[in-house]
Amino acid sequence: MDVVLRSLRGVHWWITSVMGDHDYARYVDHLQRRHPDAPVPSEREYWRRRHAEAEANPGARCC
């Protein structure tokens, strides 16, 4: 049973990582380590900027 739970947790972690669920937390961690004086945006502002950047510079995507 322990193996099944660990496997499910691993799958959950992988899916949430692929979907970007951990990106804001990693960004805040980066700001606090590398730029301690920089203001930390709210999660809403972070995603707003990220989507605006993706729209302005589409890069390689399918559509």
Side-chain angles (χ1 to χ4, degrees):
M1 189 66 169
D2 188 44
V3 173
V4 173
L5 288 175
R6 280 189 304 191
S7 298
L8 289 174
R9 286 185 187 120
V11 169
H12 178 263
W13 174 87
W14 183 79
I15 289 172
T16 57
S17 292
V18 169
M19 298 303 291
D21 292 359
H22 305 289
D23 291 354
Y24 176 71
R26 279 194 296 251
Y27 179 68
V28 170
D29 183 52
H30 164 79
L31 279 180
Q32 291 172 343
R33 282 186 289 115
R34 303 287 184 183
H35 312 283
D37 297 332
V40 176
S42 68
E43 187 169 2
R44 184 176 186 168
E45 183 60 29
Y46 167 79
W47 286 109
R48 184 178 293 134
R49 289 180 190 172
R50 184 167 169 172
H51 289 296
E53 177 67 25
E55 287 295 318
N57 302 303
R61 62 182 188 194
C62 66
C63 308

